[in-house]
Amino acid sequence: MSTVPRVVVIGAGIVGCSLADELTARGWTDVTVLDQGPLFAAGGSSSHAPGLVFQTNPSKTLAEFASYTVGKLRDLTVDGRPCFRPVGGLEVATTPERLAELARRHGLATSWGIEARLVDPAECARLHPLLDPGAVLGGLHVPTDGLVHAVPAGEAQARRAIERGARFLARHRVTGVASAAGRVSGVHTDQGFVPADVVVCAAGFWGPDVGALAGLTVPLQPLAHQYATTGPVPALAGAVAEISAPILRHQDADLYYREHGDRIGIGSYGHRPMPVTAAETEQHENSCLPFTPDDFSDAWKQSLALLPGLAGTEVASGINGVFSFTPDGMPLLGEHRDLPGFWVAEAVWVTHSAGVAKALAEWLVEGQPRTDVHECDLHRFTPVQLSPEYVAERGAQQFVEVYDVVHPLAPAEVLRPLQVSPFHARQQELGAVFGEAGGWERPLWFEANAPLAEGLDLPPRDAWAASWWSPVTAAEAVATRERVAMYDMTPLTRIEVAGPGACAFLQRLTSNDVDRPVGRVVYTLLLGADGGIRSDLTVARLGEQRFQVGANGPLDLDWFRRQAPDDGSVQLRDTTTGTCGIGLWGPRARDVLTSLTRTDVSNDAFRYFTARELFVGGVPVTALRVSYVGELGWELYTEAATGLRLWDVLWAAGQEHGVLAAGRSAFASLRLEKGYRAWGVDMTTEHDPVEAGLGFAVRPGDFIGRGALDRRPHPRRLACLTLDDPATTVLGKEPVRVDGVPVGYVTSAAFGYTIGRSIAYAWLPAEHAEPGTAVTIDWFGQPLAATVSVEPLVDPAGARVRC
């Protein structure tokens, strides 16, 4: 590769234009942007996007992308015309449930540093005069939201990129992706070959087709979305500005609104999902499908109720515009694993366009983005989640739920069950209530344990905190602390690392010392080049050249594969679907295990953080003496074919010891009482081990991220909070205040049934993270008093896991 790489960007929509701008600003000036259409209204989603930018989002990453987009575009103009109009955003509630949701969203905005305020009906009407104040209960106003003109915004950024050396070529349809020496070498077009060291697919809903040219599955479903424009509105007669009122969302009816001078544009997500292919759009102008009035009829009725001034007009025109949806609603960013140099930036809406482009430019130029993008990583899905059926059905569900009030613990409802453990039938017999994560069914709690919860004295919960929760959770947590419980650990990603280079490979990638004797288990971290935490792992040495790694998901496997030497000295194998696991935890766990094995499992013979291969009731098992709930016990892994017998023999042997099956809800409570962190929730690439309280997992020596870690400042800490009132609880992502000023946000939270009060972990400035500091946590607009506490809250000496 030359000193300045040759970059080809496929797609001159707002994402491609933004990326060209961000790359050339960083010195990568040999950039060619290709589009099959004209410049700059190339015919994709950017060409017909209504341009509404609402920054508030449950995802911190998407909120940051949107905020960066606003900050960048508000100063851009094309021929004197502004590309962004900061008219603000207004979301209104017509139901009590939505009003509560707006209070929660106000908390999200505060957590992510976005200015916002809750307003009453009168203020809603003052901000948006067409609105009937009697039709709403209140609203959320974000003054920095606004309207992007997507095509001029793309052109403005393209012009800056061209001034730095980039070129934009219209009417170039990509027909093939070329490779040489194992990496991308350029693209074939209907106008000839364009060489490249890096190719970025930013083709919007054509992304799956372009990805296929490179042998890559791009899990994206195009869906049509209705947008209509009224005739002249009498109340807006004589309007001289394109838009004066805030952009408006009526999410109870799946609707949004913006002004077009004296007319109103109306977007609807309330109609049936309309999946399409990119090829189907090409026969229509601007890639928009014909408007279907019948699908819009209910949207018009709802609009008249909210904005009665529309009664003097009617729908004058409309389109069924096409946008991209993924199975989880997040963008797709990353590099093709099997064709280095081929990247994607797909399923990106105008709202997040500049922020995504910045992150990808950092990734390309600096080696990794400065914003955590694990939620957006192309490789976050397991193979079963890449099926056409999964992408289509989950993509359609994302369309339906765009404006729904979705509880953060609520699982997806379609295409389930997809993956189940060998214990699934037994769990169903016990009345398991299942959640879903990574395509796996995961028990949350078991209704068979309900009688055990009847005598427990638990504080009341409000409706939101009680959703996807049960008092059975408390019974299962108590049983784990007092007796013994069985937890399904099958969905935990397991990677076998073997070969003569396995140990050196893991030593280079991880922060702790894994070069221990056979039979040792080590907790360790994967760090990025900047010292941020990519993941946390448990590494069990099962042989001189064989390790079992407990990982967080597909991204860890992807990282291992990218870092593995090409000399054959390291073999990687994902063993997750072919194996299964049970966490057997609690003070009577040893009694259960002793009755089923001839191996000595006493504390002297089988120490904490060691591993052995043994037989349990005739089942060959890899047993790791580790505990994520802070109690004595083992993770027991076996082949999927023998998993059901493992469950049955443990269940039978455990009856005299009071064994029960327990779910993820109890698991979450117990791990927070012990201060155990969850990667992707409590810490990400934006945090380092010292800040996260994991400095003990960092050894002296050379490994990826070591040098950068030594140079990093540590201005913040992950702190343990306990809520002062036992009857209050939070769930995560709420803002934390000191003296009324927002200073941080909650990561994980749960009620601690051992300590009798709620626990919340939160990122705080170091000066506010000292034990004893008084803080408040916003809960639907109400301040809940909390105190920074010494951690762990249960068994600080660790005697229970080491006995």
Side-chain angles (χ1 to χ4, degrees):
M1 185 181 295
S2 61
T3 303
V4 178
R6 298 167 299 176
V7 181
V8 166
V9 179
I10 303 172
I14 195 168
V15 177
C17 293
S18 296
L19 181 58
D21 184 36
E22 295 286 342
L23 285 173
T24 55
R26 289 166 173 78
W28 281 27
T29 54
D30 191 348
V31 175
T32 301
V33 182
L34 308 175
D35 204 288
Q36 64 187 357
L39 301 176
F40 285 90
S45 298
S46 298
S47 299
H48 57 72
L52 284 70
V53 175
F54 286 90
Q55 299 166 82
T56 305
N57 195 288
S59 166
K60 177 175 179 287
T61 297
L62 290 190
E64 290 181 358
F65 285 166
S67 294
Y68 180 82
T69 300
V70 167
K72 181 180 184 181
L73 300 188
R74 68 186 172 198
D75 297 326
L76 292 182
T77 61
V78 171
D79 300 332
R81 294 174 293 136
C83 296
F84 180 81
R85 296 187 182 276
V87 293
L90 178 64
E91 302 175 51
V92 295
T94 59
T95 64
E97 293 77 15
R98 181 67 62 178
L99 189 64
E101 171 69 358
L102 293 187
R104 187 175 79 97
R105 288 178 60 77
H106 179 257
L108 290 170
T110 304
S111 289
W112 312 147
I114 299 168
E115 179 187 357
R117 63 192 180 109
L118 293 168
V119 294
D120 61 20
E123 180 67 1
C124 290
R126 189 193 69 79
L127 291 165
H128 201 292
L130 288 182
L131 190 149
D132 176 7
V136 301
L137 302 178
L140 175 66
H141 180 229
V142 179
T144 56
D145 287 344
L147 181 69
V148 171
H149 297 290
V151 173
E155 183 176 353
Q157 294 176 90
R159 289 184 180 185
R160 298 202 308 194
I162 290 169
E163 290 175 357
R164 303 185 191 110
R167 61 177 181 158
F168 282 70
L169 302 178
R171 309 295 184 185
H172 279 62
R173 180 183 290 270
V174 174
T175 59
V177 176
S179 63
R183 63 174 294 115
V184 76
S185 60
V187 297
H188 298 282
T189 79
D190 57 1
Q191 303 297 316
F193 182 72
V194 183
D197 304 302
V198 174
V199 173
V200 181
C201 176
F205 52 78
W206 285 278
D209 297 337
V210 175
L213 298 175
L216 176 68
T217 297
V218 177
L220 175 161
Q221 175 62 55
L223 286 136
H225 160 62
Q226 290 200 302
Y227 188 77
T229 304
T230 70
V233 177
L236 297 178
V240 294
E242 177 198 13
I243 182 169
S244 58
I247 52 177
L248 176 66
R249 284 204 286 189
H250 178 19
Q251 291 163 293
D252 286 322
D254 296 308
L255 294 167
Y256 63 82
Y257 307 88
R258 55 152 295 190
E259 295 173 0
H260 292 275
D262 64 351
R263 302 165 187 251
I264 294 291
I266 307 170
S268 172
Y269 290 102
H271 56 80
R272 61 188 170 88
M274 303 177 189
V276 298
T277 65
E280 290 173 326
T281 70
E282 295 188 14
Q283 56 190 300
H284 302 286
E285 183 180 357
N286 218 20
S287 301
C288 295
L289 304 183
F291 189 64
T292 49
D294 288 348
D295 290 307
F296 198 75
S297 59
D298 186 64
W300 182 245
K301 293 176 184 176
Q302 297 284 355
S303 296
L304 290 173
L306 182 72
L307 307 175
L310 297 182
T313 185
E314 60 185 9
V315 173
S317 62
I319 59 171
N320 285 2
V322 180
F323 294 94
S324 302
F325 289 80
T326 59
D328 58 4
M330 299 295 289
L332 299 167
L333 308 177
E335 184 183 24
H336 193 335
R337 182 187 303 122
D338 300 320
L339 184 60
F342 185 89
W343 291 72
V344 301
E346 290 292 347
V348 181
W349 290 13
V350 172
T351 298
H352 310 113
S353 56
V356 163
K358 172 180 176 288
L360 189 59
E362 291 167 349
W363 207 341
L364 287 165
V365 176
E366 302 173 16
Q368 66 182 67
R370 299 182 187 183
T371 300
D372 169 58
V373 296
H374 82 273
E375 295 175 303
C376 309
D377 197 295
L378 172 67
H379 300 288
R380 64 189 181 270
F381 299 109
T382 61
V384 74
Q385 295 174 294
L386 295 177
S387 73
E389 295 80 7
Y390 186 91
V391 174
E393 292 191 34
R394 288 292 175 93
Q397 182 186 24
Q398 289 297 321
F399 178 91
V400 170
E401 294 181 350
V402 161
Y403 282 173
D404 287 357
V405 177
V406 179
H407 195 278
L409 300 180
E413 297 179 354
V414 300
L415 213 64
R416 292 181 58 197
L418 191 60
Q419 292 184 113
V420 300
S421 79
F423 323 130
H424 188 70
R426 297 293 186 263
Q427 293 165 346
Q428 287 180 308
E429 293 168 2
L430 294 170
V433 175
F434 288 98
E436 188 253 14
W440 286 95
E441 295 293 306
R442 308 177 80 168
L444 301 177
W445 64 83
F446 294 85
E447 288 298 332
N449 299 325
L452 300 176
E454 292 175 359
L456 297 178
D457 183 19
L458 301 175
R461 289 190 169 217
D462 61 41
W464 189 256
S467 297
W468 294 101
W469 172 87
S470 168
V472 175
T473 295
E476 293 174 0
V478 170
T480 307
R481 290 270 186 251
E482 295 180 351
R483 301 190 304 278
V484 61
M486 293 164 55
Y487 291 81
D488 187 352
M489 300 299 290
T490 302
L492 174 70
T493 298
R494 291 173 291 285
I495 306 169
E496 182 182 83
V497 183
C503 185
F505 171 71
L506 289 172
Q507 283 286 82
R508 182 174 68 87
L509 259 65
T510 70
S511 65
N512 213 338
D513 183 10
V514 300
D515 190 6
R516 306 287 184 90
V518 172
R520 290 297 300 275
V521 181
V522 176
Y523 176 80
T524 187
L525 307 171
L526 293 178
L527 303 184
D530 65 346
I533 303 172
R534 291 187 60 95
S535 188
D536 64 340
L537 314 169
T538 54
V539 178
R541 191 167 199 170
L542 304 180
E544 285 296 330
Q545 299 183 5
R546 182 167 63 94
F547 297 80
Q548 176 176 300
V549 177
N552 279 298
L555 295 184
D556 294 338
L557 179 62
D558 179 64
W559 181 247
F560 276 22
R561 286 172 171 167
R562 293 178 186 278
Q563 298 295 324
D566 56 10
D567 59 4
S569 63
V570 176
Q571 294 90 49
L572 302 172
R573 187 166 67 98
D574 182 358
T575 64
T576 309
T577 57
T579 58
C580 58
I582 296 172
L584 181 71
W585 291 313
R588 299 184 189 175
R590 181 176 286 117
D591 298 327
V592 176
L593 194 57
T594 297
S595 68
L596 293 169
T597 184
R598 297 182 182 184
T599 301
D600 185 355
V601 294
S602 67
N603 191 48
D604 289 338
F606 202 151
R607 307 291 290 184
Y608 185 53
F609 265 84
T610 61
R612 299 187 68 175
E613 294 179 308
L614 45 85
F615 288 91
V616 176
V619 178
V621 165
T622 298
L624 279 58
R625 191 177 163 195
V626 296
S627 171
Y628 204 51
V629 299
E631 295 294 332
L632 167 68
W634 288 262
E635 291 180 5
L636 305 172
Y637 295 102
T638 188
E639 298 293 325
T642 50
L644 189 58
R645 175 169 174 80
L646 178 62
W647 178 281
D648 287 345
V649 297
L650 289 170
W651 185 257
Q655 293 307 302
E656 65 178 289
H657 302 290
V659 72
L660 53 68
R664 299 296 298 183
S665 293
F667 185 90
S669 170
L670 295 167
R671 70 104 175 162
L672 284 178
E673 289 185 328
K674 282 297 295 180
Y676 295 151
R677 278 73 165 138
W679 186 84
V681 179
D682 297 315
M683 70 267 192
T684 69
T685 56
E686 296 180 4
H687 311 107
D688 67 50
V690 175
E691 295 173 325
L694 299 175
F696 66 88
V698 178
R699 73 179 192 273
D702 185 29
F703 54 86
I704 293 175
R706 169 81 260 186
L709 183 59
D710 290 339
R711 297 188 296 270
R712 286 178 67 122
H714 309 293
R716 58 192 170 181
R717 293 291 186 273
L718 183 62
C720 175
L721 313 180
T722 53
L723 276 73
D724 295 354
D725 182 351
T728 58
T729 189
V730 297
L731 294 182
K733 301 188 179 181
E734 297 86 2
V736 180
R737 300 175 186 264
V738 173
D739 296 328
V741 178
V743 295
Y745 61 91
V746 173
T747 58
S748 296
F751 192 85
Y753 301 102
T754 310
I755 66 169
R757 65 182 60 245
S758 288
I759 308 162
Y761 272 76
W763 281 104
L764 300 176
E767 63 269 24
H768 297 309
E770 292 298 321
T773 302
V775 303
T776 59
I777 303 172
D778 289 4
W779 178 251
F780 289 87
Q782 300 300 313
L784 304 181
T787 304
V788 179
S789 300
V790 176
E791 59 170 330
L793 299 167
V794 170
D795 188 28
R800 298 173 73 93
V801 295
R802 291 180 171 85
C803 62

